[in-house]
Amino acid sequence: MCLQMEIKSYNPVRIIFGIDCVRNNMDVFKGMGRFPLIVTGRSGAKKSGAFDDVKDVLKKGPHVLYDRIEENPKISTVEDAAMMSKKFNCDYIIAIGGGSALDAAKAIAVLAVSSMNGMDLLSSKIEKALPIIAIPTTSGTGSEVTPYSILTVDQWQTKKSFASDLVFPKYALLDPKYTYSLPDDYTISTAFDAASHLFESYFSLRSTNISMMYSLEGIKAFEKAVKAIDKLNFDEESRYYLMYSSMMGGLAITHTGTTAMHALGYSMTYFHNMPHGFANLYFCRPYFKHMLKHEIQKTLHIVAQMGFTDVGSMCNFFLRNMERPRLDKSMCEKYASLAMLQSSIKATPGELTEADIVSMYKEAGSL
Ligand code: NAP
Ligand code: FE
């Protein structure tokens, strides 16, 4: 431990993790307000069983449902939902779904109680937000415990995030059974997002002994699901560990943010439609190669904790589970210039230049 280092840690989310935690904790909902806006995607909340549990817990009490959040939510969508919240004078939000619904809910929580428009979220100080209960139905983003919301900004052809202590959910209710309905491909891509949070936070220049504790606890849990991912055979135990590791990833990035893999991944999602978790680990080879140079001890520790013998076999495990687009030179250059706009590049050890980023795109895009 470096004795000169200042350590800061803050996470105000009340976490309840376990099977049936929504039904077993009705009081949580009673204390939140009178008239919730329920924010979901089109189908996941219902398929998971979470929406029915919430409706039962609300005892058919008054609520408004906004169920049109798309994957990688757009600014225009959160503006639309916020108008609905204003119209019905909702006083709290219940977000049910993957990271898209949870992130959208954070933006809606702010817009619903201000005169800001969606783009203002990315530049203005946030003064107020409705309180949120977050109920994840995927195991990946950890959004239920983070102060981050990631939105797609069409005019900038990328995704941008905003962060505010005011959008930390008041409660995170995590029930692994809500992921039983998640198809295998989404289970893997979301799990890879969790893995990238755990790795990137561990490497981040902003990491501390506290954040690394979350990363290592999450990596240990993730390792218990590696076989299930390999065999495409997800049982209750592996889904439990994946949800737990995803939450740990969220707690880790709350302290540090992400690093280059996320910054590079956004263009793979925006221009090639790659699911977010795949988009990050698409870069695992050049990223870990860079880390071997700049953070060898941490790299070897991750590889061992994940149960692999070397970086190459760990990367093979990630890469064989995804479809990988090829990238030409002009794509690599364009995406690198967009990636350089992300602040997470600066949190990556080894002072990455634009030329380094172009090389990373080229290496990942030619394999
Ligand atoms: P998602 O986009 O929320 O959901 C992916 C798909 O899974 C959707 O089609 C959804 O359907 C479906 N789905 C969700 N739960 C389901 C279930 N239990 N059963 C069946 N289908 C289900 O995926 P995600 O990976 O969780 O979230 C990705 C977003 O989070 C990205 O925008 C990413 O940038 C962001 N993110 C945020 C943070 C953060 O800290 N805030 C961190 C990393 C990533 P429906 O849409 O029909 O419901
Ligand atoms: Fe992520």
Side-chain angles (χ1 to χ4, degrees):
M1 183 159 355
C2 166
L3 299 186
Q4 311 306 320
M5 186 185 215
E6 183 178 65
I7 297 178
K8 288 184 181 162
S9 175
Y10 178 65
N11 191 301
V13 182
R14 288 174 193 272
I15 295 170
I16 306 180
F17 184 106
I19 301 285
D20 291 333
C21 64
V22 168
R23 286 181 183 275
N24 292 340
N25 290 280
M26 265 187 194
D27 290 355
V28 162
F29 293 79
K30 281 191 200 138
M32 288 290 286
R34 153 198 72 72
F35 197 17
L37 175 74
I38 303 183
V39 174
T40 73
R42 289 190 187 274
S43 66
K46 291 184 186 112
K47 284 184 194 155
S48 67
F51 182 65
D52 283 344
D53 281 355
V54 166
K55 271 203 315 196
D56 287 352
V57 164
L58 293 174
K59 296 205 181 306
K60 319 256 180 286
H63 63 266
V64 191
L65 173 64
Y66 188 93
D67 62 0
R68 295 195 297 277
I69 304 298
E70 70 275 75
E71 289 184 34
N72 309 301
K74 288 181 191 292
I75 296 266
S76 53
T77 308
V78 296
E79 287 176 337
D80 190 38
M83 259 164 38
M84 190 166 180
S85 178
K86 279 182 172 165
K87 184 171 155 200
F88 290 96
N89 209 7
C90 295
D91 56 359
Y92 74 103
I93 293 183
I94 303 174
I96 311 172
S100 296
L102 270 45
D103 281 9
K106 294 172 183 173
I108 297 161
V110 176
L111 298 180
V113 288
S114 78
S115 54
M116 289 161 89
N117 66 37
M119 288 302 284
D120 293 337
L121 290 168
L122 306 174
S123 56
S124 306
K125 188 166 185 306
I126 288 164
E127 308 279 0
K128 215 173 152 203
L130 291 177
I132 300 170
I133 297 178
I135 305 175
T137 64
T138 62
S139 296
T141 69
S143 179
E144 67 280 358
V145 294
T146 74
Y148 309 126
S149 168
I150 303 176
L151 302 169
T152 299
V153 188
D154 277 328
Q155 67 220 70
W156 295 344
Q157 295 192 314
T158 189
K159 293 167 85 174
K160 285 297 269 182
S161 63
F162 75 90
S164 165
D165 285 353
L166 296 173
V167 301
F168 270 118
K170 194 158 179 193
Y171 285 92
L173 301 177
L174 299 100
D175 184 339
K177 81 168 187 284
Y178 293 148
T179 64
Y180 295 173
S181 57
L182 196 64
D184 286 352
D185 52 349
Y186 278 118
T187 303
I188 300 177
S189 64
T190 50
F192 283 11
D193 188 25
S196 60
H197 296 159
L198 294 162
F199 301 154
E200 289 180 75
S201 178
Y202 190 57
F203 284 126
S204 170
L205 293 174
R206 300 186 188 123
S207 65
T208 65
N209 279 51
I210 292 178
S211 71
M212 288 193 287
M213 192 176 73
Y214 289 121
S215 296
L216 291 176
E217 175 71 0
I219 289 169
K220 223 164 60 188
F222 192 93
E223 186 273 331
K224 295 188 194 301
V226 163
K227 266 204 191 101
I229 295 173
D230 216 22
K231 295 194 160 40
L232 282 184
N233 183 11
F234 297 99
D235 56 7
E236 290 177 15
E237 194 180 323
S238 50
R239 290 198 185 271
Y240 186 97
Y241 282 119
L242 284 176
M243 186 163 266
Y244 183 75
S245 70
S246 162
M247 177 181 76
M248 285 298 152
L251 291 167
I253 59 170
T254 295
H255 289 77
T256 59
T258 55
T259 64
M261 277 207 286
H262 267 68
L264 272 74
Y266 291 145
S267 282
M268 301 312 296
T269 299
Y270 194 88
F271 296 106
H272 300 269
N273 223 9
M274 274 186 104
H276 174 66
F278 287 163
N280 300 336
L281 283 170
Y282 176 79
F283 298 98
C284 60
R285 279 205 187 121
Y287 182 82
F288 276 100
K289 198 159 110 188
H290 179 78
M291 289 308 166
L292 266 176
K293 238 193 265 165
H294 297 279
E295 285 288 359
I296 186 163
Q297 292 308 330
K298 281 187 174 181
T299 309
L300 297 178
H301 194 55
I302 286 178
V303 171
Q305 291 296 302
M306 286 283 291
F308 292 95
T309 49
D310 53 74
V311 170
S313 51
M314 187 173 80
C315 291
N316 287 343
F317 161 77
F318 288 121
L319 294 172
R320 76 166 165 265
N321 280 296
M322 68 176 84
E323 259 178 51
R324 286 177 287 150
R326 288 187 159 268
L327 303 179
D328 63 28
K329 185 166 171 280
S330 69
M331 288 172 182
C332 294
E333 286 166 1
K334 175 177 174 176
Y335 303 166
S337 68
L338 287 167
M340 288 306 286
L341 301 175
Q342 302 288 344
S343 57
S344 51
I345 290 286
K346 294 199 180 65
T348 313
E351 290 190 30
L352 287 165
T353 63
E354 190 159 337
D356 296 327
I357 303 288
V358 173
S359 304
M360 284 184 163
Y361 275 107
K362 282 187 178 159
E363 183 172 348
S366 63
L367 293 170

